[in-house]
Amino acid sequence: MTDELLVVRAQLGERAALAELVARWRMPVWMYVRRMLDAERADDVSQEVWLAVVRGLPRLREPGRFVPWLFTIARRSVADRLRGEYAREGFVGSDAVVGDPVEAMVDRAGLVDALSGLPVLEREVLVLFYLEDLPVEDCAQICQVPVGTVKSRLNRARRLLRELLEEKGFRP
């Protein structure tokens, strides 16, 4: 069954359709949030995302655009969390790095470390495009920027990631 049909059925009150949507998209949403935050915060933010989805699903006018809508909610939830934390820490700006020391112990530690070393805006489009396999147009809609901005952020993210990996001794 397509996401669009599940959305329509969920909007009509069918709980099984909503449960299937959540089951289908729970891990991709969590992985996106996890790549933007650490594991502990990813759990909390993912729950916030699904609460917002349940509340907002009846108002979704284009059921065929469910995935970009879902990731837009996830992006806003991550941004809200980071904004709140930066405000409490007295930090101003968008280039903060979020790290997780546990990830340093896994085999992909260099890549994970380099990815977390990217500025938030570049990391976001890299995660959406390469790791979530979303088209540039959907990334632009989710990030609320023009397609050209997504392309330039991807270009910058690739360059920065390459530099970070080379600094850590990884060679492509």
Side-chain angles (χ1 to χ4, degrees):
M1 190 174 312
T2 67
D3 290 337
E4 185 174 7
L5 183 56
L6 287 172
V7 168
V8 170
R9 290 172 67 179
Q11 287 175 325
L12 293 173
E14 189 177 315
R15 290 177 187 239
L18 179 61
E20 190 171 336
L21 273 174
V22 172
R24 186 177 290 180
W25 288 101
R26 183 182 58 82
M27 281 309 294
V29 166
W30 186 87
M31 291 301 295
Y32 166 75
V33 173
R34 170 60 186 92
R35 288 173 176 133
M36 299 303 294
L37 303 169
D38 60 51
E40 182 178 317
R41 292 184 297 174
D43 290 339
D44 292 341
V45 172
S46 292
Q47 287 179 1
E48 292 169 13
V49 168
W50 289 109
L51 285 172
V53 167
V54 169
R55 289 182 187 130
L57 196 60
R59 294 184 307 275
L60 179 62
R61 293 179 189 255
E62 296 181 55
R65 301 292 300 157
F66 174 73
V67 175
W69 178 77
L70 172 63
F71 279 96
T72 298
I73 291 172
R75 177 184 186 264
R76 286 182 184 149
S77 297
V78 167
D80 289 347
R81 176 62 60 99
L82 290 174
R83 200 174 302 115
E85 290 174 3
Y86 296 160
R88 280 193 298 278
E89 295 171 9
F91 180 84
V92 178
S94 63
D95 288 345
V97 174
V98 179
D100 179 3
V102 175
E103 287 290 342
M105 297 186 319
V106 298
D107 291 339
R108 302 176 337 187
L111 180 59
V112 169
D113 187 44
L115 186 60
S116 69
L118 293 176
V120 173
L121 296 175
E122 283 75 11
R123 181 176 0 142
E124 176 180 56
V125 296
L126 192 102
V127 167
L128 288 170
F129 184 76
Y130 287 109
L131 302 178
E132 298 300 332
D133 292 323
L134 294 174
V136 171
E137 295 77 16
D138 286 353
C139 295
Q141 180 182 356
I142 291 165
C143 296
Q144 298 177 334
V145 296
V147 169
T149 301
V150 170
K151 290 178 180 179
S152 67
R153 286 181 186 172
L154 279 170
N155 187 38
R156 183 168 187 256
R158 286 189 294 261
R159 181 178 47 78
L160 290 172
L161 186 59
R162 186 180 319 110
E163 291 170 3
L164 288 169
L165 289 171
E166 286 175 358
E167 285 176 14
K168 296 181 183 307
F170 291 90
R171 300 288 176 222

